[in-house]
Amino acid sequence: DIQMTQSPSSVSASVGDRVTITCRASQGIASWLAWYQQKPGNAPKLLIYTTSSLQTGVPSRFSGSGSGTDFTLTISSLQPEDFATYHCQQSKSFPLTFGGGTTVEIK
Amino acid sequence: QLQLQESGPGLVKPSETLSLTCTVSGGSISSTSSSWAWIRQPPGKDLEWIGNIYYSGSTNDNPSLKSRVTIFVDTSKNQFSLKLSSVTAADTAIYYCARYSRSLGYFDYWGQGTLVTVSS
């Protein structure tokens, strides 16, 4: 199985800050990586797929990059509605696997 | 707008079988570009993929669940279902159904999730 490791597990930030979250795969996954945002009591919401493609309707302050084993999700200017937990997910091979999540908290 | 809705018992006894159904509305479950997934999340913990099913009935599931999983589809009802046998407290989780893009590898539509508690 491909293990996905996210860091940090949590980050405290202020509105307007630039936030970067990292996801590392235990083996190469090319660009087969997606990012999701999850707020308490809600299902995850797709933000980015194939590493850097923005899902329709997602604000452009979200961006993704990377390839192989190392990937990042960047929020360029944190907004109040962005405080949430973010998950990465690989689709290079079955079983599909998720990272452990990164919680973005209000500083 | 595609919508998915999970249904089933919220309480299951240990050693029994958990059964959930996902009803898809606003689109066809027979889409050739999609498969249909079950994902779970124990309270406060990580997401775990359980398995996918294509409208033809072909499946992929997570070996970590040790063959306890059965996923099947009913195209006439636009539904797919999950059975998880021999449950224990470790199977207590929010269970989500979702649509999976077969070509791009992401889950783009999710149900709201249903909490299933395993307890006597």
Side-chain angles (χ1 to χ4, degrees):
Chain A
D1 298 5
I2 299 175
Q3 308 303 318
M4 306 300 293
T5 304
Q6 285 182 237
S7 61
S9 56
S10 66
V11 57
S12 295
S14 301
V15 172
D17 284 354
R18 181 182 183 89
V19 173
T20 298
I21 298 167
T22 297
C23 182
R24 174 165 288 176
S26 61
Q27 57 188 269
I29 59 170
S31 294
W32 297 109
L33 187 94
W35 290 97
Y36 302 86
Q37 177 192 67
Q38 187 178 27
K39 296 182 179 179
N42 285 41
K45 171 190 170 184
L46 176 67
L47 297 176
I48 287 171
Y49 59 94
T50 55
T51 297
S52 58
S53 297
L54 205 62
Q55 173 69 340
T56 302
V58 174
S60 59
R61 63 181 180 272
F62 290 93
S63 63
S65 64
S67 69
T69 59
D70 294 311
F71 302 85
T72 59
L73 171 70
T74 299
I75 309 171
S76 60
S77 178
L78 199 64
Q79 297 302 299
E81 60 268 30
D82 301 337
F83 291 96
T85 298
Y86 294 85
H87 306 272
C88 61
Q89 171 246 322
Q90 67 80 21
S91 58
K92 175 67 167 66
S93 64
F94 290 109
L96 306 175
T97 47
F98 292 87
T102 296
T103 299
V104 177
E105 300 169 324
I106 301 171
K107 192 171 189 177
Chain B
Q1 173 78 349
L2 193 75
Q3 292 186 318
L4 292 85
Q5 178 68 58
E6 305 90 351
S7 59
L11 181 65
V12 181
K13 289 183 169 54
S15 80
E16 295 190 346
T17 296
L18 177 160
S19 296
L20 295 173
T21 294
C22 183
T23 301
V24 179
S25 58
S28 174
I29 204 168
S30 300
S31 165
T32 57
S33 61
S34 303
S35 60
W36 305 91
W38 289 100
I39 296 157
R40 69 180 184 179
Q41 186 173 35
K45 295 188 178 180
D46 303 345
L47 295 161
E48 179 182 30
W49 173 75
I50 298 171
N52 281 16
I53 189 163
Y54 189 52
Y55 78 94
S56 64
S58 65
T59 59
N60 297 94
D61 56 62
N62 196 329
S64 70
L65 293 167
K66 295 182 172 62
S67 302
R68 296 191 293 131
V69 170
T70 303
I71 301 175
F72 53 98
V73 64
D74 186 338
T75 56
S76 68
K77 295 182 179 178
N78 232 32
Q79 293 177 334
F80 63 106
S81 299
L82 168 70
K83 289 190 183 297
L84 180 65
S85 63
S86 305
V87 297
T88 70
D91 295 309
T92 293
I94 298 171
Y95 285 76
Y96 296 101
C97 58
R99 186 179 80 168
Y100 180 73
S101 168
R102 298 174 71 227
S103 59
L104 296 175
Y106 56 71
F107 302 100
D108 57 350
Y109 287 92
W110 296 65
Q112 65 185 23
T114 187
L115 175 63
V116 179
T117 302
V118 178
S119 175
S120 54

